[in-house]
């Protein structure tokens, strides 16, 4: 009976320990991003929006476009309520929808029917009214006869007219026809840049792990054009914008500096497009072990010098002085920080496709190039 009770007791202890270990395990970044994405999809106001969620060391970054501030705040609340989230970087941009105005159909004009014309009948004259009356009296016949017209005056002969030939006026040349209008530009063509496309960018703003903070915005330009099927889709020199996902500055005695960058948008052809890229991470070397060795070495050298000078008490004093000297020397030299100056070239990769209007005209294409003497 006792062995069976002991077996049940051990099984209960093992089960309790397993449950405690499973509950104490914090969710990873992938699980946090997946849970937040599920909450955004379940919201009726955010359905159909292309929203990106990325998590790194407890910092959640939201990207994409929404219709108003209410949707933007709702997305941030969903992210902040997730277990394991320490900070939310809200990069959602507000793009209000364009209202569609329905064209009002105009009523068709009514056709007017021609009114029938009325013809008036004229009375016919009788034959008696039309024929003149003939009298039998010769006097009446003579008086009714028409009087003869007088003879016309003789017309004088026309004077001779001299003929003068007038030359025709000089014909002016016909005006030249206006030149034909230039052909209309081709319609803009939309191109989808696929997932996994490499982006080589050149920094405009410098990055310093000792000065920058998490969430700081930086600017860069496209170092190499993006080409699809042999045609330039986004030219080099296009502007990009990103933010710092994580920044850690190394201490004087221990610690390691870390800088994590991510791109958020790219501008081309007068339009700005939201993008999702991987994260660029730069780690500085740790100074912890090196610092301990230098401080310990200084203490040992001080103890030897103190023992030679004054015995045991001198050894203790020398060890303290030597250790302090080593620590002061190490503290005087700053730990290694991460500094990315302007014009530094960094490489990113698209994590989601983006549709843009293809153009080969960069921001500097309209500027006049200066010669060597200018």
């Amino acid at each position: 009976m006792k062995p069976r009770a002991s077996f049940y007791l051990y099984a209960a202890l093992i089960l309790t320990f397993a449950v405690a270990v499973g509950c104490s395990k914090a969710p990873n970044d992938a699980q946090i991003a997946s849970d937040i994405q599920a909450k955004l999809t379940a919201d009726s106001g955010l359905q159909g929006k292309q929203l990106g969620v990325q998590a790194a060391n407890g910092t959640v970054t939201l990207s994409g476009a929404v219709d108003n501030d209410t949707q933007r705040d709702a997305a941030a609340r969903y992210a902040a309520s997730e277990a394991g989230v320490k900070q939310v970087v809200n990069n959602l941009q507000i793009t209000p929808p364009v209202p569609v105005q329905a064209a009002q159909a105009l009523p068709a004009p009514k056709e007017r029917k021609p009114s029938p014309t009325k013809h008036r009948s004229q009375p016919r004259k009788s034959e008696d009214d039309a024929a003149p009356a003939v009298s039998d009296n010769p006097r009446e016949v003579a008086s009714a006869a028409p009087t003869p017209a007088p003879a016309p005056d003789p017309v004088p002969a026309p004077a001779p007219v001299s003929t003068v030939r007038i030359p025709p006026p000089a014909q002016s040349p016909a005006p030249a026809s206006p030149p034909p209008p230039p052909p209309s530009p081709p319609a803009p063509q939309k191109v989808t840049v696929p997932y996994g496309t490499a982006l080589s960018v050149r920094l405009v703003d410098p990055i310093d792990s000792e000065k920058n903070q998490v969430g700081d915005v930086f600017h860069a330009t496209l170092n190499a054009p993006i080409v699809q099927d042999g045609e330039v889709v986004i030219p080099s020199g296009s502007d990009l914008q990103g933010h710092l996902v994580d920044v850690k500055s190394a201490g004087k005695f221990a610690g390691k500096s870390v800088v994590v960058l991510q791109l958020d948008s790219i501008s081309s052809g007068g339009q700005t497009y939201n993008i999702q890229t991987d994260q660029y991470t730069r780690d500085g070397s740790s100074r912890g072990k090196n610092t301990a060795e230098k401080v310990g070495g200084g203490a040992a050298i001080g103890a030897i010098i103190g023992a030679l000078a004054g015995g045991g008490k001198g050894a203790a004093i020398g060890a303290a002085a030597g250790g302090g000297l080593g620590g002061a020397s190490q503290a005087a030299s700053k730990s290694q920080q991460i500094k990315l100056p302007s014009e530094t070239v960094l490489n990113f990769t698209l994590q989601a496709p983006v549709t843009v209007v293809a153009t080969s005209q960069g921001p500097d294409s309209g500027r006049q190039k200066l010669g060597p003497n200018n």
Side-chain angles (χ1 to χ4, degrees):
M1 190 67 180
K2 290 183 178 181
R4 180 175 298 179
S6 300
F7 173 76
Y8 288 143
L9 180 60
Y10 290 151
L13 292 175
I14 292 173
L15 180 61
T16 303
F17 178 76
V19 171
V21 171
C23 294
S24 61
K25 185 177 180 181
N28 54 20
D29 294 336
Q31 184 64 34
I32 292 175
S34 177
D35 294 342
I36 296 175
Q37 190 70 53
K39 292 180 179 180
L40 297 180
T41 305
D43 192 314
S44 60
L46 299 176
Q47 287 181 356
K49 309 293 182 184
Q50 295 182 356
L51 305 181
V53 181
Q54 292 188 356
N57 299 328
T59 299
V60 175
T61 302
L62 302 178
S63 60
V66 294
D67 297 339
N68 47 49
D69 289 330
T70 304
Q71 295 180 356
R72 187 174 186 270
D73 296 339
R77 289 196 300 270
Y78 284 136
S81 64
E82 183 64 21
V85 175
K86 301 176 182 178
Q87 185 178 6
V88 177
V89 179
N90 194 347
N91 290 330
L92 294 177
Q93 298 185 2
I94 299 175
T95 305
V98 179
V100 180
Q101 297 182 352
Q104 298 180 355
L106 298 177
K110 297 182 178 180
E111 296 183 358
R112 299 180 60 184
K113 296 183 179 180
S115 59
T117 58
K118 297 181 179 180
H119 300 279
R120 294 182 178 179
S121 60
Q122 296 181 357
R124 297 180 61 183
K125 295 182 178 181
S126 61
E127 294 179 357
D128 297 338
D129 296 336
V134 179
S135 177
D136 296 335
N137 191 354
R139 293 181 180 181
E140 293 179 359
V141 173
S143 61
T147 305
D153 296 335
V155 179
V161 179
S162 61
T163 304
V164 180
R165 293 184 178 180
I166 301 176
Q171 296 181 356
S172 59
S177 59
S184 59
Q189 180 181 5
K190 292 186 177 181
V191 178
T192 300
V193 182
Y195 163 87
T197 301
L199 302 178
S200 176
V201 305
R202 187 180 296 272
L203 285 179
V204 175
D205 302 326
I207 305 298
D208 192 340
S209 62
E210 195 173 10
K211 298 179 181 179
N212 287 101
Q213 303 293 330
V214 173
D216 287 352
V217 176
F218 68 91
H219 299 84
T221 58
L222 193 62
N223 188 48
I226 299 177
V227 180
Q228 289 289 106
D229 298 330
E231 298 291 337
V232 175
V233 177
I234 300 178
S236 59
S238 299
D239 296 329
L240 297 104
Q241 182 174 309
H243 72 282
L244 277 74
V245 178
D246 192 11
V247 179
K248 293 180 181 178
S249 177
K252 293 182 178 180
F253 293 98
K256 182 170 64 173
S257 56
V258 176
V259 170
V260 181
L261 309 177
Q262 185 177 5
L263 297 178
D264 299 324
S265 64
I266 185 171
S267 299
S268 176
Q271 299 185 15
T272 301
Y273 307 96
N274 296 326
I275 59 175
Q276 299 180 17
T277 65
D278 61 347
Q279 297 177 351
Y280 175 87
T281 304
R282 176 70 67 87
D283 296 333
S285 60
S286 177
R287 300 288 303 269
K289 182 178 180 182
N290 189 21
T291 301
E293 291 177 352
K294 289 185 178 181
V295 174
I301 295 174
I304 295 174
I305 296 175
L308 294 176
K313 184 176 181 181
I317 297 174
L325 180 61
S329 174
Q330 181 64 16
S333 62
K334 292 184 179 180
S335 301
Q336 183 177 2
Q337 302 290 347
I338 298 176
K339 297 180 182 294
L340 302 177
S342 180
E343 300 296 329
T344 301
V345 177
L346 308 177
N347 294 318
F348 294 84
T349 303
L350 278 180
Q351 298 299 303
V354 58
T355 301
V356 302
V357 176
T359 179
S360 59
Q361 301 295 326
D364 299 332
S365 59
R367 298 180 182 177
Q368 183 180 3
K369 297 183 179 179
L370 300 178
N373 297 329
N374 293 337

